[in-house]
Amino acid sequence: MSGRDGFPRRVAMLSVHTSPLHQPGTGDAGGMNVYVVELARRLAARGIEVEIFTRAASADLPPSVVLAPGVLVRHVAAGPYESLAKENLLAQLRVFAHAVTRTRSGQRPGPYDLIHSHYWLSGHVGRLTAARWGVPLVHAMHTMAKVKNAHLAHGDTPEPAARVRGETRVVRAADRLIANTAEEADDLVLHYAADPARVAVVHPGVDLDRFSPGAGRAAARARLGLPRDALIPLFVGRVQPLKAPDVLLRAVALLLERRPGLRERIVVPVVGGPSGSGLAEPEGLQKLAARLGISDVVLFRPPVRQERLADWYRAASVLVMPSHSESFGLVAVEAQACGTPVVASRVGGLPVAVRDGVSGMLVRGHDPQDYARALEAFADDPERSARMGGAAVRHAGNFGWETAAAATAEVYAAALPRTHRRKALDASAGVCLG
Ligand code: UDP
């Protein structure tokens, strides 16, 4: 059943609550969507076919869409179309799992050699489907309720106990768990009692062709209509309390209090759309900017495609990521790949994504004063951005998707032998779905 050299031939990838076809940077679409698309494309290029199952969020979607050679997206009908919030998906997961198992082609096990699920809701479907097909389950958490709840921002709603229970069951069922960083691997062991032998660390990647310094900062500023000599601290990502764009705005206000002369030459773009609720939504942020007296320097922009996003990164003096929690932080690596240093909070994957003092600066906590000081360092020393930017490009070079896909394929290969044990167990226990 497995392909060449013990690698799977066909993988069923599960991304239940958000589609790889959605625009990242708003709502439920973010780094995980990018991760699934980029990983699937690179696995396909290595000869591993991938079919991605996602919930049909509208009635007019075709049953399947070819995303790239060797990568198919399958739309699964489960629950009402547009109006189903992520929080209410749990009740639809068995329906989703049944629909996935129906794609099998008569022979046992199903047409796939392995299941790779993303986020706990997909993990739940993966658990049911893997037991049904007798194939291994590889799971990536992306975010964990226990970790998120330990780092809640003001205005954030805690993750419910049902999610923690669900995550725990998925961790127990998975043959292999893929963690973004060693810290995430430790969290899996510490908070979810994962077996360390089944946890593999694979750093996510960045598309180094799409995200590169290109023709440089001045050209990008000209294309975006931004002033040539301004200090440009940039925020990119979903506008939600967890990402703390409000901390950036407060830091800018403090900086301008200390250095009023900067007002004429600072622009603060916020690129991304609303996600969830709370003060950090664009409307809330706009009100905050007005209250802080900095509306004239903040530019709110809706999410853009990555090709365009690369120009925003190139144009910026520094990317600012004051997140309360971040399982990795793809935008930090993307900005560095474009030659832009990063000021980020010292949380989650960011200490891996950013080389403190070399490709950017890590800040402990979320005190706007600390971020204002970091921005001041860039204002005082205009060469700092270019200097750190060179190191940033080199650091980002460590995170190609090809490397991530090769490491993931190894995890798959390591998971495959368990299939035979699982099949034998399932046969004797008469495990069935539903
Ligand atoms: N993104 C995008 N357009 C935007 C804003 C963001 O394509 O306007 C993408 C960005 O390139 C990155 C992803 O959304 O790959 C966000 O990933 P990250 O890990 O930083 O955050 P997450 O959303 O997973 O919390």
Side-chain angles (χ1 to χ4, degrees), residues 231 255 259 262 265 373-384:
L231 174 71
L255 178 64
R259 308 281 296 275
L262 266 181
R265 49 177 202 93
R373 265 192 292 278
L375 292 184
E376 202 166 14
F378 284 93
D380 287 343
D381 175 8
E383 290 308 308
R384 186 185 184 86

Side-chain angles (χ1 to χ4, degrees), residues 23-25 30-32 34 236 238 243 271 303-304 306 309 313 321 326 329-331 334:
Q23 166 66 54
M32 191 186 107
V34 173
V236 171
R238 289 186 272 171
K243 301 258 176 204
V271 182
V304 290
Q306 289 195 325
L309 191 57
Y313 291 135
M321 244 182 135
E326 202 65 68
L330 287 180
V331 304
E334 292 165 359

